[in-house]
Amino acid sequence: MSRDDGVPKTPPVRSRNPERTRAEILSVAVREFAEHGFHGARVERITKAAKCNARMIYHYFGGKEQLYLAVLDSVYAAIRNREGQLRFGTADPGLEARRLVEFTFDYFSENGDFLKMIRNENLLNGKYIKRSQMIRDMSQPFITAIGELVERGHASGQFARKPDPVQLYVTVVALSAHHLNNAATLGTVVGQDLTDPAWQVERRDHAVEVVLTYLGVETSE
Amino acid sequence: MSRDDGVPKTPPVRSRNPERTRAEILSVAVREFAEHGFHGARVERITKAAKCNARMIYHYFGGKEQLYLAVLDSVYAAIRNREGQLRFGTADPGLEARRLVEFTFDYFSENGDFLKMIRNENLLNGKYIKRSQMIRDMSQPFITAIGELVERGHASGQFARKPDPVQLYVTVVALSAHHLNNAATLGTVVGQDLTDPAWQVERRDHAVEVVLTYLGVETSE
DNA sequence: AAAATTAGTCAAAATATTTTTACTTAATTT
DNA sequence: AAATTAAGTAAAAATATTTTGACTAATTTT
């Protein structure tokens, strides 16, 4: 017989790894908040997926709310990073306009959690994003770049129109995001599966065509 | 001294009115679910706003979930009703295309709760809308009507293009809804107040122009 | 190597939220 | 007018969810 009774727990030898644990929690939390929104997200699900325990969330982040904030920051940091690679101002305006649409479309398509976080943040009426001066600052150059693109395209006579850059930007984003944000309801309404890759390829072509036609750029048809 | 002690409560004479109470709960619940989503909605807030008590929600609807379903049904019933008034097929295709965009844009603009309910339903991945055959059925005629409009416009030579009706529909909805669904984050990003009526008037013109230009209809400029 | 720190565990406390029980009485039916 | 039904209330039970306390041991620091 064993000599225990005073040793009820079996704390199996565990390694310690702060960076990994913190990163794991954050990564898992991105998925949880994106998938369920702030109110729908469950601390318990996060700890289970991160194979840690609730105490760790308080240890590393302070609480559910602060964890959400860290997640929001992290997804914005990611897109900001990618946007930096898009350097407008050097190539043909028509081509750059096309690149703008394609980049936006593809980024949203490939980074589902970004749009989902944004959708939830808007459900909260921007409660947390409003606190972030960083996001405001990071975005301005992009809008400015679009403005310059419109300017060049129009000056060169290649764009038939000279729209307000903000309107153009909102349109590009809308055409790239709406079908993803509303795949469930729109899919039901139109009786098609909008998550099907083939559907999305079609959508991409359509979005590009709408924007370029609007600008008055000739599309090769 | 008073003769109470056995009469601690003061049930002040209250009138009874089933229809009114039920309708009041539903109406208040539309706002609550639209504003906070399913998980963010609070039964207590609903009862307070409806000036009744939680028991009534169970009495009339069965629970929070069933109440949500009733709300979803009700907002869809409302738009279905209005859509019925749009009768395509009689007038000039260019004009009807414009009417399509303007109707969609204005309906969304005037019925904020509809888009908000849809935004949340998509956050839930269409959990409830998928159960509703009604919505599927009600929407098909509208898509068909758009298909016929495209057909007529193209046949008459007035539309330069003949897009897939579903793509066109999604585009119209996207251009009309995205800035509302994402007013908080987009507003922060572009540094403008997208809820400002003047901004929305500008947006409306832009949306109409994008769609009509895409179709190749001459806009009076 | 002892001391200090902090990553990590477990369980329970604190809170928040929904749902039900037990009861009261207005309105309706017989 | 008595009996029945169902609208309505209050309070608490049930549940769900977040947060904290008390402890253990791995790692780092002295």
Side-chain angles (χ1 to χ4, degrees):
Chain A
M1 73 189 171
S2 63
R3 56 102 187 89
D4 81 32
D5 242 25
V7 187
K9 300 296 138 42
T10 314
V13 195
R14 85 223 124 153
S15 61
R16 291 168 61 152
N17 193 336
E19 291 82 20
R20 189 206 136 278
T21 303
R22 204 196 120 98
E24 184 70 12
I25 290 174
L26 189 64
S27 151
V28 158
V30 169
R31 299 253 58 240
E32 178 70 13
F33 283 120
E35 214 52 62
H36 303 282
F38 180 78
H39 293 291
R42 292 290 171 261
V43 169
E44 200 197 0
R45 271 199 298 254
I46 293 172
T47 62
K48 266 190 183 136
K51 287 194 277 295
C52 70
N53 93 39
R55 200 71 193 71
M56 291 297 93
I57 286 177
Y58 293 84
H59 185 43
Y60 286 112
F61 295 94
K64 185 185 181 183
E65 208 165 23
Q66 287 100 316
L67 178 56
Y68 175 88
L69 253 156
V71 164
L72 195 63
D73 270 1
S74 105
V75 297
Y76 264 104
I79 194 178
R80 179 178 52 209
N81 197 42
R82 287 293 306 282
E83 275 177 353
Q85 297 170 10
L86 260 193
R87 303 222 166 272
F88 288 141
T90 56
D92 174 74
L95 279 179
E96 288 200 340
R98 173 184 287 268
R99 273 213 299 144
L100 169 64
V101 182
E102 290 178 346
F103 166 80
T104 306
F105 191 97
D106 292 342
Y107 188 87
F108 290 169
S109 171
E110 291 159 14
N111 301 81
D113 290 338
F114 177 70
L115 277 187
K116 286 175 181 169
M117 281 302 298
I118 284 185
R119 177 169 58 190
N120 183 67
E121 181 59 13
N122 278 290
L123 185 70
L124 301 180
N125 218 359
K127 181 173 176 186
Y128 298 100
I129 203 179
K130 276 172 186 158
R131 300 180 189 169
S132 171
Q133 181 65 38
M134 175 190 91
I135 291 169
R136 217 180 309 268
D137 294 344
M138 110 196 183
S139 307
Q140 208 181 323
F142 198 58
I143 305 294
T144 304
I146 293 174
E148 287 164 3
L149 171 58
V150 168
E151 204 65 59
R152 280 198 305 131
H154 190 252
S156 72
Q158 201 176 160
F159 293 0
R161 258 162 261 269
K162 206 177 99 181
D164 173 31
V166 168
Q167 292 295 338
L168 178 61
Y169 174 69
V170 173
T171 288
V172 169
V173 172
L175 294 175
S176 302
H178 192 80
H179 60 111
L180 297 171
N181 274 332
N182 300 276
T185 56
L186 272 181
T188 299
V189 158
V190 304
Q192 297 182 7
D193 177 12
L194 308 207
T195 65
D196 179 39
W199 196 94
Q200 298 197 357
V201 167
E202 209 192 304
R203 179 72 195 157
R204 189 180 192 262
D205 292 343
H206 177 84
V208 170
E209 199 181 355
V210 167
V211 173
L212 294 190
T213 304
Y214 167 65
L215 289 174
V217 175
E218 282 308 306
T219 58
S220 53
E221 260 191 306
Chain B
M1 70 190 173
S2 62
R3 55 103 185 90
D4 80 33
D5 240 28
V7 188
K9 302 296 139 43
T10 314
V13 195
R14 85 224 123 151
S15 61
R16 291 166 62 151
N17 192 338
E19 291 81 19
R20 190 206 136 280
T21 303
R22 204 198 121 97
E24 184 70 11
I25 290 174
L26 190 65
S27 151
V28 158
V30 169
R31 298 252 60 241
E32 178 71 13
F33 282 120
E35 214 52 63
H36 303 282
F38 180 77
H39 292 293
R42 294 290 170 259
V43 169
E44 200 195 358
R45 271 199 298 254
I46 294 172
T47 61
K48 267 191 182 134
K51 286 195 277 295
C52 71
N53 138 342
R55 197 68 193 74
M56 291 297 94
I57 287 177
Y58 294 83
H59 185 43
Y60 286 111
F61 296 94
K64 186 186 181 183
E65 210 165 21
Q66 288 99 316
L67 177 57
Y68 174 88
L69 254 156
V71 164
L72 196 62
D73 269 2
S74 105
V75 296
Y76 264 104
I79 195 179
R80 180 177 53 209
N81 196 43
R82 286 293 306 280
E83 274 176 355
Q85 298 170 11
L86 260 192
R87 304 221 165 273
F88 288 141
T90 56
D92 175 75
L95 279 180
E96 287 199 342
R98 173 183 287 269
R99 272 212 301 145
L100 168 64
V101 182
E102 290 178 346
F103 166 80
T104 306
F105 192 97
D106 292 342
Y107 188 86
F108 290 169
S109 171
E110 290 160 15
N111 301 82
D113 289 338
F114 177 70
L115 278 188
K116 286 175 181 170
M117 281 301 299
I118 285 185
R119 177 169 58 189
N120 183 68
E121 181 58 14
N122 278 290
L123 186 71
L124 301 180
N125 218 356
K127 181 173 176 186
Y128 298 100
I129 203 180
K130 276 171 185 159
R131 300 179 188 170
S132 172
Q133 181 65 39
M134 175 191 91
I135 291 168
R136 218 181 307 269
D137 294 345
M138 111 195 182
S139 308
Q140 207 180 324
F142 198 58
I143 305 295
T144 303
I146 293 174
E148 288 164 1
L149 171 58
V150 169
E151 204 65 60
R152 279 200 303 134
H154 190 253
S156 73
Q158 201 176 158
F159 293 180
R161 257 164 262 268
K162 206 177 100 182
D164 172 33
V166 168
Q167 293 295 338
L168 178 61
Y169 174 69
V170 173
T171 288
V172 170
V173 171
L175 294 176
S176 301
H178 193 79
H179 61 109
L180 297 172
N181 274 333
N182 300 275
T185 56
L186 272 182
T188 299
V189 159
V190 304
Q192 296 182 8
D193 177 11
L194 309 206
T195 65
D196 179 38
W199 195 94
Q200 298 198 357
V201 167
E202 210 192 303
R203 181 72 194 156
R204 189 180 193 262
D205 291 344
H206 177 85
V208 169
E209 200 180 353
V210 168
V211 173
L212 294 191
T213 304
Y214 168 66
L215 289 174
V217 175
E218 283 308 308
T219 58
S220 54
E221 258 191 307

